[in-house]
Amino acid sequence: MTETILKRWDNELVIAGIAVLLLLPLFGMPPKTYLTLTIAGLAMGMLLFLVASGVSIILGLMDVLNFAHGALFAWGAYVGFSTFKLLEKWVQADSVLLNFGAFAAAIICAMTVVAVLGMVLERVIVRRVYGNHLFQILITFGATIVLVEMIRVIWGPNDDVMSVPLTFQGNWDVFDVIIDRYRIICILIGALVFGAVQLILKKTKLGLIVRAGVENRDMVQAMGHNIFLLFTGVFAVGAGLAALGGLAMSIFSLQVYPDMGSTYLLFAFIVVIIGGLGSVTGSLVGALIVGLSYNYVAYLVPWAAAGVNIIIMIIILLIRPKGLFTAGK
Amino acid sequence: MNDAVLKADNLQTYIGHHHILQGISFEARADAVTVLIGRNGAGKSTTLKTLMGLLPPSEGVIVYNGMNIQGKRPYEIARMGIGYVPEDMGIFADLTVEENFKVAKLKEDEATAGRLDRILELFGALGKFWHAPAGNLSGGQKQMLAIGRAMVNNISLLLIDEPSKGLAPIIVEALIEAINQIKEECVVVLVEQNFYMASAVGDYFHILDDGRIVHSGRMEALVDDEELKSRYLGISKSKS
Ligand SMILES: Nc1ncnc2c1ncn2[C@@H]1O[C@H](COP(=O)(O)OP(=O)(O)OP(=O)(O)O)[C@@H](O)[C@H]1O
Ligand SMILES: [Mg+2]
């Protein structure tokens, strides 16, 4: 009996347990600092989610380890960077509408360009190495080098300063808690994307086919669905989300540089492993855990910040070898 | 019309470097249930996967309704009207029963809705658990879902791999009844180790051994052939 209850509430229990653990740092710092760090952590988590969800679905559905995801992320940032350059007046204008107009334009350009790039990548390169992880790692790693070199050729080899729309700058002061505006925007974007992806996966036929494919590729094919078309589509969506992540992250960190993808790719793989392959909810929960714990630990024990996520990953894998969530959720 | 709906000729299939099917030839006739039998590892499941395009043969010809289908992709073969129930049933456990059917349906027309109604009549339990995750179904219910799902499209050939595996005798009985109804609507090719079930639904049999067909004939003949049964099926005494 208890076992069935545990099973039924499995995921809810996981989330509750994590929430309790994430409250612990409250004992080590003033509540206001905790709030500020929490918002920073949530924002970072949402950005990681954008990158990790693509990696996770591509791995879950197609069984493809895509190391080029980081380069796609950087491409998203650079396309956004150029869009902002083109719309400089809108970016600098003292108008919420124009600021958001520039942001929306950058999102659309970055996601479209990179989605097309992702489709080409899948068709030309990844399709040849389905079923072989070693070749996937090698060939997508090679693709990363090419994509990053292309960035150096097009945009130059040096760092650039990413401009930030005027509305996104500055803070709100809510009862003496300093809240960075752009962080709230990141949290909202992440929540919106999560909601949209969930809606598609749960409510549309295409989403159901993707979830079914994560569970059993062969069966989906044997039911008359062209899995290769599906793969290309999912790859394009994953690439688009990576681009959105790259754009959002570059505004957050105020810079773009050709190699920016590699750091975040490592984080994304940690998130995917924590959350469970092929699970979008898992990616979200994993990304929030990584974002929050990184921020808490960086404040409490600065020297441990870099390692904490790896430790969390190891602990979670010891308890649940397949990650927190099962595929398809 | 008594011609073959499906004709396999000299199928050779490799899995990795292993030469698994070493020349499988057989026919499935219209208005009949063809049963493939043989001991574990004989190549029965591999034969169905080869027919379905999941394991493309390196040699051989598969003719279905007069068309060559070897070399076609699984989804193309499925769209030509072949339904497939794999040995592990291929249930989408995280999806509900309803969603499993949604993924299976290739069209949303009246004919499909009519077929779904008949499937739910045939397998009443499915309607009862319509909104439950398919992973929660019992073994027998999963088998019903797998078969029902495969029949929701307008198929003319149904390939079923060992449906009786791991099921209680009373459920096997129900499955026999179901297959006897299904065969009125489409041609059935069944892989079955349970000789009781094989003989209850089959009209023709082919015995596989080591990737080849070693005996074929009408089911009645096999029922009486103690020697053949004990040699290939490990049945010592007839059970009638
Ligand atoms: N993925 C694989 N790699 C290597 N060999 C395989 C693989 N799948 C099947 N085989 C081998 O192919 C042979 C035929 O397997 P198959 O599953 O077709 O047998 P079967 O007749 O369906 O047996 P069973 O009654 O146990 O289901 C077996 O010897 C098996 O070991
Ligand atoms: Mg088998």
Side-chain angles (χ1 to χ4, degrees):
Chain A
M1 186 69 197
T2 45
E3 206 164 81
T4 55
I5 287 179
L6 273 181
K7 213 169 172 199
R8 191 168 308 151
W9 292 95
D10 207 7
N11 289 341
E12 284 78 358
L13 278 178
V14 168
I15 293 176
I18 292 164
V20 169
L21 282 179
L22 289 174
L23 282 173
L24 280 183
L26 247 182
F27 293 106
M29 60 181 78
K32 275 177 196 157
T33 314
Y34 180 80
L35 260 179
T36 308
L37 289 177
T38 301
I39 288 169
L42 287 177
M44 179 177 164
M46 285 303 193
L47 295 180
L48 286 177
F49 162 70
L50 294 178
V51 191
S53 54
V55 173
S56 181
I57 300 191
I58 289 171
L59 194 53
L61 175 73
M62 302 156 67
D63 196 25
V64 167
L65 279 165
N66 178 24
F67 275 68
H69 219 74
L72 297 171
F73 173 92
W75 264 83
Y78 271 95
V79 174
F81 171 79
S82 286
T83 315
F84 275 0
K85 270 265 156 68
L86 273 175
L87 299 174
E88 184 117 36
K89 289 218 176 76
W90 290 15
V91 176
Q92 308 295 351
D94 190 7
S95 147
V96 176
L97 204 66
L98 286 183
N99 287 167
F100 272 97
F103 189 48
I107 289 177
I108 291 169
C109 291
M111 289 183 77
T112 314
V113 169
V114 177
V116 171
L117 213 57
M119 266 153 85
V120 173
L121 205 63
E122 195 275 337
R123 283 271 155 133
V124 179
I125 290 182
V126 176
R127 182 158 299 185
R128 290 161 210 276
V129 291
Y130 279 130
N132 188 328
H133 284 156
L134 181 63
F135 281 4
Q136 286 163 12
I137 294 173
L138 293 175
I139 209 165
T140 56
F141 198 73
T144 302
I145 296 174
V146 173
L147 287 170
V148 171
E149 281 312 308
M150 281 166 73
I151 290 180
R152 292 205 170 95
V153 169
I154 299 172
W155 284 282
N158 300 320
D159 299 14
D160 268 302
V161 177
M162 184 75 181
S163 38
V164 179
L166 206 63
T167 319
F168 296 5
Q169 299 173 15
N171 309 305
W172 285 305
D173 186 337
V174 183
F175 300 112
D176 275 353
V177 181
I178 307 296
I179 297 175
D180 187 308
R181 280 190 207 169
Y182 183 60
R183 288 186 175 152
I184 300 294
I185 292 175
C186 288
I187 295 174
L188 288 178
I189 291 175
L192 268 176
V193 168
F194 176 71
V197 172
Q198 283 298 66
L199 214 63
I200 292 170
L201 284 178
K202 298 250 153 92
K203 298 289 173 208
T204 67
K205 172 145 187 186
L206 200 65
L208 287 179
I209 295 174
V210 170
R211 285 168 63 205
V214 169
E215 277 198 56
N216 191 332
R217 262 186 300 271
D218 276 356
M219 200 60 223
V220 166
Q221 292 200 72
M223 285 179 162
H225 302 297
N226 183 349
I227 199 111
F228 291 100
L229 214 58
L230 203 64
F231 282 1
T232 310
V234 165
F235 212 88
V237 171
L241 289 180
L244 180 59
L247 168 66
M249 185 64 85
S250 63
I251 299 175
F252 194 74
S253 57
L254 305 175
Q255 60 174 348
V256 287
Y257 54 100
D259 201 25
M260 64 188 288
S262 50
T263 325
Y264 297 104
L265 186 67
L266 177 67
F267 272 120
F269 272 105
I270 294 179
V271 166
V272 171
I273 292 168
I274 291 179
L277 310 185
S279 164
V280 175
T281 309
S283 292
L284 180 72
V285 174
L288 293 180
I289 293 175
V290 169
L292 287 169
S293 49
Y294 181 86
N295 276 279
Y296 296 146
V297 175
Y299 176 84
L300 291 170
V301 211
W303 55 267
V308 67
N309 290 308
I310 306 229
I311 293 172
I312 290 178
M313 179 175 82
I314 292 170
I315 294 174
I316 288 179
L317 285 186
L318 285 176
I319 304 170
R320 283 219 202 194
K322 291 195 164 172
L324 292 174
F325 288 78
T326 44
K329 292 266 167 89
Chain B
M1 54 169 238
N2 223 1
D3 357 61
V5 167
L6 179 80
K7 218 170 159 174
D9 188 24
N10 188 31
L11 295 183
Q12 313 259 349
T13 302
Y14 285 80
I15 301 181
H17 293 295
H18 303 279
H19 194 180
I20 307 290
L21 298 191
Q22 314 193 356
I24 295 277
S25 307
F26 76 97
E27 295 184 358
R29 297 161 146 236
D31 307 326
V33 175
T34 302
V35 186
L36 306 179
I37 32 191
R39 41 180 158 232
N40 294 112
K44 307 179 297 291
S45 299
T46 308
T47 303
L48 291 196
K49 284 183 194 159
T50 302
L51 294 174
M52 209 52 216
L54 291 166
L55 288 173
S58 62
E59 243 179 81
V61 181
I62 307 168
V63 178
Y64 162 70
N65 278 343
M67 294 166 285
N68 265 1
I69 62 165
Q70 84 279 6
K72 289 209 183 305
R73 293 267 172 78
Y75 71 88
E76 295 170 314
I77 292 173
R79 284 181 177 264
M80 293 169 107
I82 302 185
Y84 173 56
V85 179
E87 193 168 3
D88 64 6
M89 299 180 280
I91 296 296
F92 307 125
D94 278 335
L95 274 56
T96 64
V97 171
E98 180 187 23
E99 290 169 338
N100 268 270
F101 273 102
K102 266 194 191 153
V103 172
K105 278 192 257 183
L106 291 174
K107 282 189 186 152
E108 293 284 348
D109 53 7
E110 244 168 73
T112 306
R115 277 190 298 272
L116 183 58
D117 284 344
R118 264 174 289 146
I119 290 164
L120 291 182
E121 230 167 81
L122 189 61
F123 300 125
L126 295 182
K128 220 165 91 194
F129 295 104
W130 194 237
H131 296 293
N136 292 358
L137 298 178
S138 74
Q141 291 160 349
K142 279 186 187 145
Q143 194 58 256
M144 290 171 193
L145 173 58
I147 296 174
R149 213 174 52 168
M151 291 170 46
V152 78
N153 297 307
N154 184 20
I155 57 170
S156 50
L157 174 63
L158 181 58
L159 311 175
I160 316 180
D161 199 343
E162 282 197 60
S164 73
K165 199 178 175 186
L167 299 185
I170 194 172
I171 302 192
V172 172
E173 243 13 279
L175 265 182
I176 290 174
E177 195 152 308
I179 289 177
N180 277 327
Q181 286 193 38
I182 291 167
K183 73 179 186 194
E184 303 297 320
E185 310 200 7
C186 60
V187 179
V188 175
V189 172
L190 183 70
V191 165
E192 192 48 77
Q193 297 247 62
N194 177 334
F195 188 68
Y196 173 67
M197 174 148 181
S199 57
V201 299
D203 301 304
Y204 294 92
F205 75 89
H206 301 280
I207 297 180
L208 275 76
D209 198 39
D210 265 342
R212 292 170 214 269
I213 290 188
V214 289
H215 276 280
S216 305
R218 291 194 71 95
M219 193 50 98
E220 301 93 82
L222 182 61
V223 172
D224 296 327
D225 194 332
E226 301 300 332
E227 202 257 318
L228 210 55
K229 279 194 288 185
S230 75
R231 178 138 51 109
Y232 291 109
L233 308 174
I235 301 171
S236 45
K237 263 196 291 173
S238 92
K239 176 183 146 197
S240 52

